[in-house]
Amino acid sequence: MRIRFLLLAIALMGFGLAQSAQAGSIVQPPPPQYVGEKETIFSIGIQFDFGDMAPEIVAAVRRTETNSKND
């Protein structure tokens, strides 16, 4: 009795999924909206080279710009 009920439940779930896929009820999320953004990052650090092991102070600047098309 339990096996018949289980098989019937599985069959009905499969039928329901097939019907919803055919009906096109799967909703696609909207495409992401991008906003133009500018970013500048400064960093300072200590660098060790393996050759002479004398520490060096290094500085870096990174500037990025993204437009509204995410380019």
Side-chain angles (χ1 to χ4, degrees):
M1 181 70 180
R2 286 184 180 180
I3 294 175
R4 286 184 186 175
F5 179 73
L6 181 62
L7 291 175
L8 179 62
I10 291 172
L12 289 175
M13 286 189 327
F15 180 73
L17 290 175
Q19 290 298 322
S20 67
Q22 288 178 355
S25 64
I26 299 174
V27 178
Q28 296 292 329
Q33 300 294 321
Y34 297 106
V35 178
E37 184 176 317
K38 295 180 182 180
E39 180 179 48
T40 303
I41 297 175
F42 299 96
S43 62
I44 297 176
I46 298 176
Q47 176 179 333
F48 290 95
D49 291 326
F50 287 107
D52 56 3
M53 293 300 288
E56 298 177 352
I57 297 176
V58 294
V61 177
R62 184 182 77 177
R63 182 172 185 265
T64 59
E65 183 175 343
T66 305
N67 64 12
S68 60
K69 294 180 182 177
N70 199 30
D71 292 339

